[in-house]
Amino acid sequence: SSALCVLPSGFVESSCHSRIFWMKLNKLLLQGKFFHLEINDPYAGPILLDEKLASRCGYVLSEDVWGNPVFRASVLGCHVTNEADELFSLTVNIKVSSFSSMRAAVTYIYPMYCSYPSWASREIVCEENYMEVSVRTDVPAVSNDYTVAWMSALPEVQNVAYQQWQLMFVSPSGRKRIMVSDAAKLGYSFNNTLSRVYLRAPYHSNESDISVINGVNMNMVTSTSMYRQRWLLLLIDTTVSCPVDGISFTDTTLIWTVPSVIPTLVVQESSFQSKTVLMGVDGQVIVNPEEKNYLLEHNKTHIRITIPIGAEGGKLKSSVSGGVYGVIYSIDLFLEHTWIDADWQTTKYTVIKSITTPFMPQIPTVTNNTLPEERLFNVAFGHFLPDVSLVAIAIGNVPFTLREAQHHRFKIYETLFSNRTKGFILEVSFDDPYVLKEYVNRNETKYTLLINYTVSVGLEMTLYYHSAEVECVIADIELPEAVSSCDEENLYLTIPTLGLHRYWNLYLGNKLLNQHIVLTNGYLAATNSTHLILQIPLFAVGVIYEEVSFQKIKARFDVALRKVRTMETLQMFSVSCNFNSSEFTICHPDGTVMITTQMKTVPAIDMSKTKLRDSSCKPKEYNEGYAFFKFHVTTCGTSVRFEGDHIIYENEISYEKETLPMQSIPTITRDPDYRLTVLCYYRAKETLVLGAFASDPSISPPFGSGTMVSRSNIAVHRRTRQALNIVSRVSKDESFMEFYEPNVAIFKQHMEPVFLEVELKDERPSAELYLENCWVTGSLDFNSTPRWNITVDG
């Protein structure tokens, strides 16, 4: 049971166009509810509308592109009241319930009226679910050209029952003559009014045929309606043909094509003349299609309607397919073509078509509008239709609801674009902890924002996910500048600590300048809130002596500023000073010894006559009080011995005494004794930095590889006539803890150090190792060129 109620305001709107009732229900007033339509038969009462009844009786129940229920009915429908083929009425019951079973339904009675006095001789309607042809019964006599077709039906006419209509269908399978009552069982509807006969047929029935006309598939039912009464014999052509496709799409438009001339409907094409072509959208005729960017074209073969995707009158809908965002465009069109020909005088041909595009992927774009000067990411995400909303976001893989994001001071807001789409703007500070930061180049930081968007799409609220990565590199790091100074015995470097250990570290050669190195090498390091102050004694490890004489020492100390991650050297901090030093001993890593000795004898001696063990090794410089010697540990009679993990080189400075000429011993001299022992200590595995130069520098490749092969056994064998156990290896770094495998190619960049180790394995105490010649070649041939010398003659 249901209650009769007054229609809510705005619930129903209706109109009458092209002899069709149009009724639309407001979906907003049906939210969360169910509804049925009943057709009010004047004699039988309400009849529930279903699909089978709709196609047979000339009804359509569908939705417009906005989701509003739409009901259409032909004025020749089964239950329409017809007054003289001019006034038509139809009453519909709209039943609404909150339950799917339709219990406790509310019924709204809605009558519709349509006036249509000006019928064409023949009218054809191609609806979504049926084809309908209506013919005036007082049509002119059949033309001579068509007589043959009519005459072929005469044998059948003799069998037509008295005062009854019969239908004869012609299809590829042959002819079929059936009573009107039997035709209804096949889904057809046939009837006559005061002045007209009409046939309504379903698409794709057994009696139909498909033909292709100018590239468009047409569904055709060829039929003749036959009636006999007394002396009257009536044959009426009720053939109908409607397009079933003709839809095509481009990336930006949809195109609907209908043939201009349909041969089965126009027998004498020479007499065909097109009168009017109208198009409409959503039941309304569009008088000037170009104003809405529609294009209506027609010629002798085609009528073509072109609609830009997204045009007014249709609807774009967001969708997700296979995890991809896209849109679907729908529009309700109709076409009305009126023509005349010799047989039918006037034909009005109406086609109603709801068109929906396939899914069209539209990958959203992420636009980087970042403001480096404000240290602020500004990212636009779009373009989306209004039916899309942002529901969540993740920054740096950390998820946030929109409320949590706002609480974290992420700024999120919508923006509208000129093409009626929208986007989502996200603003995040560079300094936010979820922004990735990487030190790059010399003084720049690369800020990276990782975003994962979650949006809700369409009425179905399908979730769509999209990830984006936005970067911005700005020069916001200031490289430190060191201040250098010296006093009488030390060199000083003052270096800012801002960024140390975060972006870069200090290196002494290839070693990280840490607390252990500072203590081991005898430096002093002090820090305050802003700077590191490094004190380096003049004779400490790592000091470079650029110039040494008995008058002065020019010393330099270098510290490299290197990136923490890549070890790239960005800057060298150097302090260089001249020192006055009366006495010193300097043992260079390459084995060079420099020493200044002071005269401390009474009486004084002539410093020019001092010497080393090898009397040919004289001072390089001298004056009355000092003598300056410079020699290599492998020359001038220098001896070597091993103590623990140290190698000790020893020499002696002495004075050549002048003696009085005597013919017998003892010798008489006036000069005092003068002896000074010189000792240099080296660690047994200390790295010695030596330069290797090619005999022809122009052919030295900037990049190369090599295999180290020791020839030490051969050399020792020639000298000592016995083989010693000599091992030579290449270390991977200065620690000499990990070595390359023998006879393996080693690739090194230009100026990159190679760490060589030659070790004597002989356990006899009398065996000592002297590295005489060491060189590098480009092949296993020891005599090949180019040749890079490392040591020559020890």
Side-chain angles (χ1 to χ4, degrees), residues 634 690 712 719 758 769-774 790-794:
T634 59
L690 305 175
S712 302
R719 179 175 297 179
V758 182
L769 173 64
Y770 292 89
L771 190 60
E772 182 179 29
N773 293 310
C774 183
I790 297 176
T791 63
V792 178
D793 294 333

Side-chain angles (χ1 to χ4, degrees), residues 22-238:
W22 297 68
M23 183 182 75
K24 181 183 294 186
L25 305 182
N26 189 336
K27 68 174 184 179
L28 298 178
L29 299 179
L30 288 172
Q31 282 186 347
K33 296 182 180 180
F34 303 89
F35 81 95
H36 284 170
L37 290 186
E38 291 177 339
I39 308 299
N40 230 329
D41 187 291
Y43 307 102
I47 300 173
L48 182 65
L49 179 64
D50 58 25
E51 288 186 12
K52 187 173 292 187
L53 177 71
S55 64
R56 185 174 62 82
C57 285
Y59 307 138
V60 174
L61 179 60
S62 63
E63 287 187 351
D64 66 7
V65 296
W66 312 106
N68 298 300
V70 172
F71 171 73
R72 291 192 298 272
S74 168
V75 295
L76 300 175
C78 298
H79 310 96
V80 176
T81 302
N82 181 343
E83 296 182 22
D85 284 341
E86 292 186 3
L87 296 175
F88 306 90
S89 61
L90 177 67
T91 301
V92 178
N93 294 339
I94 307 167
K95 303 186 71 173
V96 181
S97 172
S98 298
F99 307 96
S100 59
S101 63
M102 298 303 294
R103 63 185 176 88
V106 174
T107 301
Y108 304 103
I109 300 176
Y110 190 78
M112 293 183 287
Y113 303 93
C114 195
S115 173
Y116 193 67
S118 53
W119 287 87
S121 300
R122 178 175 59 177
E123 297 206 1
I124 295 175
V125 173
C126 300
E127 255 287 8
E128 292 183 22
N129 59 343
Y130 67 85
M131 304 181 291
E132 181 182 272
V133 56
S134 161
V135 180
R136 199 168 64 218
T137 54
D138 58 344
V139 292
V142 177
S143 67
N144 292 333
D145 293 339
Y146 206 28
T147 301
V148 175
W150 280 98
M151 293 302 293
S152 65
L154 286 178
E156 298 288 342
V157 173
Q158 306 303 320
N159 299 321
V160 173
Y162 184 67
Q163 288 189 335
Q164 282 193 350
W165 285 98
Q166 292 189 20
L167 299 174
M168 184 178 70
F169 295 101
V170 179
S171 65
S173 60
R175 298 185 179 196
K176 180 189 294 185
R177 182 167 58 86
I178 58 176
M179 302 295 293
V180 169
S181 57
D182 293 329
K185 298 175 183 177
L186 298 176
Y188 295 93
S189 180
F190 177 88
N191 210 338
N192 65 302
T193 66
L194 184 67
S195 61
R196 305 187 73 80
V197 168
Y198 66 85
L199 172 70
R200 191 177 302 113
Y203 285 92
H204 309 296
S205 66
N206 291 334
E207 294 73 32
S208 67
D209 187 23
I210 295 292
S211 62
V212 179
I213 302 175
N214 294 327
V216 178
N217 285 318
M218 306 290 292
N219 190 251
M220 176 178 62
V221 175
T222 304
S223 65
T224 301
S225 303
M226 300 177 291
Y227 182 80
R228 183 183 181 192
Q229 182 179 10
R230 293 181 183 176
W231 50 267
L232 174 67
L233 176 62
L234 189 61
L235 299 179
I236 299 178
D237 182 6
T238 47

Side-chain angles (χ1 to χ4, degrees), residues 220-272:
M220 176 178 62
V221 175
T222 304
S223 65
T224 301
S225 303
M226 300 177 291
Y227 182 80
R228 183 183 181 192
Q229 182 179 10
R230 293 181 183 176
W231 50 267
L232 174 67
L233 176 62
L234 189 61
L235 299 179
I236 299 178
D237 182 6
T238 47
T239 295
V240 63
S241 182
C242 289
V244 292
D245 53 20
I247 309 297
S248 61
F249 305 96
T250 69
D251 290 340
T252 56
T253 60
L254 64 85
I255 303 166
W256 180 26
T257 303
V258 176
S260 294
V261 181
I262 303 169
T264 53
L265 302 180
V266 181
V267 178
Q268 301 183 68
E269 288 192 33
S270 60
S271 66
F272 173 85

